Amino acid sequence: MAEPSPEGTEQQWLHSNLSVEIVSGEDLVAKDTKGMFSSKAVSSDPLVKLFLAGKEVGKTQPVMKNLNPEWNEQVLDNYSFQNVNINKFVTDPNLTLKIYDFDKASLNDPMGECVIPLRPLLSHVPWDDWVTVQPCDGCAEATGRLHVRASMSITATGDNTIYLTGFRSRQPTLAHCLIAHPCTAPPHHRTTA
């Protein structure tokens, strides 16, 4: 299958919405010490911030004192790509997840980051997988991984019909045939904008 042209891709992104759930983390790096006089880090209070085209678009709540956090948090729900610099995004169509150790009294400490390529989501293949945490500025010792779910919904341009697909339904997507033949869409797959 041929790669879509940059113009087509830009139009696809502009008529797409992104949903992201941060499920959990595993074996994340420790950043907090036991006390004022201890130098060994034993725990962290992790939170995850989501970035598109360098812009923060969402974040989880911190999970206190846990290197294996369970968020199960829907951070983005049908987030429109019209809210980001689309020209910048098209050159780097990735979702960047930056993990931080939450600190009330000072700046949050970096714990690593993950990058998820979003181009496959344009084919309506939802993402439900573990992503390895990589080192980043401020955290050369990053460890662990994140469990992330992501899906894309698109808006057809001709008839203002919205067709939603996603990981929550766990059903095969009908998006391609629905866009080509919108009148065949069952009523529960159709919403007039």
Side-chain angles (χ1 to χ4, degrees), residues 156 159 163-165 173-186 189:
D159 60 357
Y163 304 103
L164 300 176
T165 61
T173 178
L174 300 173
H176 290 104
C177 62
L178 295 179
I179 291 169
H181 307 286
C183 60
T184 63
H189 284 288

Side-chain angles (χ1 to χ4, degrees), residues 66-134:
N66 199 326
L67 300 179
N68 298 293
E70 295 280 338
W71 286 283
N72 294 307
E73 191 171 334
Q74 184 80 30
V75 181
L76 297 180
D77 190 17
N78 287 318
Y79 182 86
S80 173
F81 284 92
Q82 294 180 10
N83 296 320
V84 297
N85 179 335
I86 199 68
N87 293 324
K88 185 175 179 182
F89 178 77
V90 167
T91 63
D92 184 25
N94 297 310
L95 172 66
T96 302
L97 308 170
K98 296 185 179 189
I99 309 163
Y100 292 92
D101 174 41
F102 176 75
D103 288 315
K104 288 181 184 176
S106 63
L107 291 175
N108 296 334
D109 299 317
M111 295 175 62
E113 66 182 29
C114 305
V115 176
I116 298 175
L118 295 180
R119 191 177 304 273
L121 294 179
L122 285 175
S123 298
H124 308 286
V125 177
W127 176 282
D128 186 354
D129 209 348
W130 289 90
V131 189
T132 302
V133 178
Q134 301 295 322

Side-chain angles (χ1 to χ4, degrees), residues 8-43:
T9 301
E10 182 175 315
Q11 287 304 307
Q12 285 177 302
W13 292 118
L14 284 172
H15 296 286
S16 299
N17 298 311
L18 178 65
S19 295
V20 177
E21 179 183 356
I22 306 298
V23 181
S24 59
E26 185 177 85
D27 298 326
L28 300 180
V29 67
K31 288 290 194 170
D32 294 335
T33 60
K34 257 187 174 177
M36 212 166 147
F37 301 108
S38 174
S39 61
K40 183 177 180 189
V42 294
S43 188

